Amino acid sequence: MDLPASRGRWRRRSARSHLPLVVAVLLLLLPTSLLFSSAYSTMLRALFPVPSTPGGADTPRPRCGGSAELEGERFLWYAPHSGFSNQVGEFRNAAVAAALLNRTLVVPPVLDHHAVVLGSCPKFRVTDPASLRAAVWDHAMQLLLDRRYVSMGDIVDLSSIKSMVRTIDFRVFVSLWCGVDMRKACFSRLCCAVSGGSSMPDDYNRCRSLLSGLGGSEKGCVYPVQDDCRTTVWTYQQDDDGALDQFQPDDELKRKKKISYIRRRRDIYKALGPGSQAEDATVLAFGTLFSGPYRGSESYFDIHESPKDQRIQRVLDKIEFLPFAPEIMAAGKEFAKNNIKEPFLCAQLRLLDGQFKNHWKATFSALKEKLKAVELEMKRNKTGGLIHMFIMTDLPPANWTKTFLANVATDERYKLYMLKESDELVLQTSEKLMAAEHGVRSGLLPKIIESTKKDCDPVQLPEILLSIEESVCSCASLGFVGTAGSTIAGSIETMRKNNVCKL
């Protein structure tokens, strides 16, 4: 078995990739009055060493962004964070909010794992929405500079919601609305043609100020939503607008943390839809839209069904499962068919990240039980031979010594399969994926596209190993065992429930 030495998206980020978080923290330490001072401009120019366009300094620039191509459009922007699976969950909620409020959803880039961190809603310790939006902007610009940009729309197939939710790629939106150059975030020709603009540092500064809300808001321009999970749970047509949520900070937390938050359930349509202050804003900017169940309630976004509004119910039904892009799904199926070739079990073992490093015993115990169940089933069916098993884990094989994985790897009853980022299948799929330009093509495009005779210098190929591994696991006919509490395991279970792989 050819064991990989390292992991793709689970790989530890380099010191350079911590720069956006460091920048965000430094900015939060600065007084608000200094955020747009000459010192801040100097720092921004250091981050964006790009030449100014001729005559750009003398051209009057409006405070609010805009373009004739976007006339009449109203947008919804939000600040994704944490790991990829959490970012996909936020995207689903954002799609529902955009459909509800009749806005075009700005599809964000895929952020590095935990490059932007929310905090803890149950502990009422979270980054405020404006700072979160600024951190996402900073990280997106770092991805641009590093030539590592990939859109959520490149990885996730948005075709199933295209008729119900209007979208626009972040690169196209920023280029048209802010007038800034995003071509360094492109891989191929169409993206380059629709993502041009100015390279003035002041333009990036202005766009960051508008979209984050750190520079304040302007009527009719951007409405920055400041309500977060400490005070608000968004609902829709549940007849509980303004009611207290079931989950509140307990007395001990109030006393220990000296907090006085009160969580209320608020109808998102009444608060941010027609007749609200937000209605006239071109851009509605949320902070996080991540949510999860907690103590009988939801941490922030509690819109899972809409019996009174069938249009929104159809959106909810569609976004329950958003598959990966066709190239990723095809790669997983190809590996299962051509490399494994036999019925197999998939094991997703998350062992190093966050809370999971403290639960090795439970994770390995679940794998042991699953293997016993597969062996018994094979005996009942009188099918002999090896148990073929695909392993996806963040624990490098060099560290398997004295673990249950080491026992399995040397046990002659099992044949193990793994993928690594440098495998030809992964690299070829990554290149096909980026050349397809799904992210740009799936959303709103300018009516007039600038002609270009050549592709711009392409961004680096993204690390899509984890996505392909999930696709492989969707094909596991002997079953699946995942890490309890892992959103990745949840994603695989959803794929399997929807029968996305038919060998």
Side-chain angles (χ1 to χ4, degrees), residues 25 159 251:
V25 171
S159 61
D251 292 337

Side-chain angles (χ1 to χ4, degrees), residues 365-377:
S365 177
L367 176 58
K368 290 177 185 177
E369 292 302 314
K370 186 65 176 180
L371 286 172
K372 287 180 182 178
V374 171
E375 289 171 1
L376 287 174
E377 184 67 21

Side-chain angles (χ1 to χ4, degrees), residues 33-52:
S33 60
L34 295 179
L35 279 175
F36 304 102
S37 66
S38 59
Y40 176 73
S41 297
T42 300
M43 182 178 68
L44 187 67
R45 287 182 172 85
L47 284 174
F48 298 101
V50 288
S52 301

Side-chain angles (χ1 to χ4, degrees), residues 53-65:
T53 54
D58 299 324
T59 304
R61 301 185 183 277
R63 169 63 182 162
C64 186

Side-chain angles (χ1 to χ4, degrees), residues 27-285:
L27 291 176
L28 292 176
L29 295 176
L30 290 172
T32 303
S33 60
L34 295 179
L35 279 175
F36 304 102
S37 66
S38 59
Y40 176 73
S41 297
T42 300
M43 182 178 68
L44 187 67
R45 287 182 172 85
L47 284 174
F48 298 101
V50 288
S52 301
T53 54
D58 299 324
T59 304
R61 301 185 183 277
R63 169 63 182 162
C64 186
S67 163
E69 294 281 359
L70 302 181
E71 187 174 353
E73 292 285 341
R74 298 180 314 127
F75 302 94
L76 186 148
W77 164 243
Y78 69 102
H81 57 82
S82 302
F84 177 74
S85 295
N86 283 352
Q87 293 174 46
V88 173
E90 283 188 89
F91 179 83
R92 293 193 185 103
N93 291 340
V96 174
L100 263 169
L101 300 171
N102 193 26
R103 289 180 174 272
T104 299
L105 176 60
V106 180
V107 180
V110 175
L111 309 185
D112 287 340
H113 191 65
H114 289 304
V116 178
V117 179
L118 172 65
S120 171
C121 285
K123 295 180 181 178
F124 291 80
R125 187 181 67 242
V126 297
T127 305
D128 71 88
S131 300
L132 199 65
R133 289 187 290 265
V136 169
W137 171 270
D138 292 343
H139 185 62
M141 294 304 106
Q142 189 65 53
L143 292 174
L144 178 148
L145 289 176
D146 292 345
R147 310 305 299 271
R148 295 189 299 111
Y149 191 104
V150 58
S151 172
M152 179 64 71
D154 289 324
I155 305 297
V156 176
D157 186 355
L158 305 183
S159 61
S160 63
I161 64 170
K162 190 170 184 178
S163 64
M164 296 178 284
V165 182
R166 300 189 309 276
T167 63
I168 183 171
D169 188 90
F170 177 77
R171 293 164 292 188
V172 180
F173 170 72
V174 170
S175 173
L176 292 175
W177 197 72
C178 297
V180 301
D181 191 348
M182 294 293 290
R183 285 174 293 186
K184 286 188 176 181
C186 294
F187 182 85
S188 201
R189 185 167 299 176
L190 178 61
C191 178
C192 295
V194 298
S195 300
S198 165
S199 297
M200 293 285 291
D202 286 347
D203 290 333
Y204 291 93
N205 187 349
R206 178 175 59 90
C207 199
R208 179 185 188 273
S209 171
L210 286 170
L211 294 180
S212 69
L214 285 174
S217 60
E218 182 178 327
K219 184 175 176 58
C221 186
V222 178
Y223 185 89
V225 178
Q226 293 300 99
D227 309 283
D228 59 28
C229 61
R230 293 172 291 189
T231 61
T232 303
V233 178
W234 293 116
T235 65
Y236 178 57
Q237 294 185 343
Q238 295 183 21
D239 300 323
D240 59 357
D241 187 38
L244 292 176
D245 186 60
Q246 181 176 334
F247 173 63
Q248 301 289 339
D250 56 35
D251 292 337
E252 182 181 354
L253 186 62
K254 288 180 179 178
R255 183 175 59 256
K256 185 176 180 181
K257 299 296 183 181
K258 297 180 180 180
I259 61 175
S260 56
Y261 297 113
I262 297 176
R263 281 167 50 90
R264 294 191 180 276
R265 300 176 69 79
R266 298 182 62 197
D267 189 294
I268 193 170
Y269 191 77
K270 292 179 180 178
L272 303 172
S276 69
Q277 291 183 347
E279 171 65 9
D280 293 334
T282 303
V283 179
L284 177 65

Side-chain angles (χ1 to χ4, degrees), residues 454-467:
K454 67 181 185 65
D455 296 341
C456 46
D457 294 333
V459 295
Q460 297 178 35
L461 294 177
E463 295 178 348
I464 59 170
L465 174 63
L466 181 59
S467 302

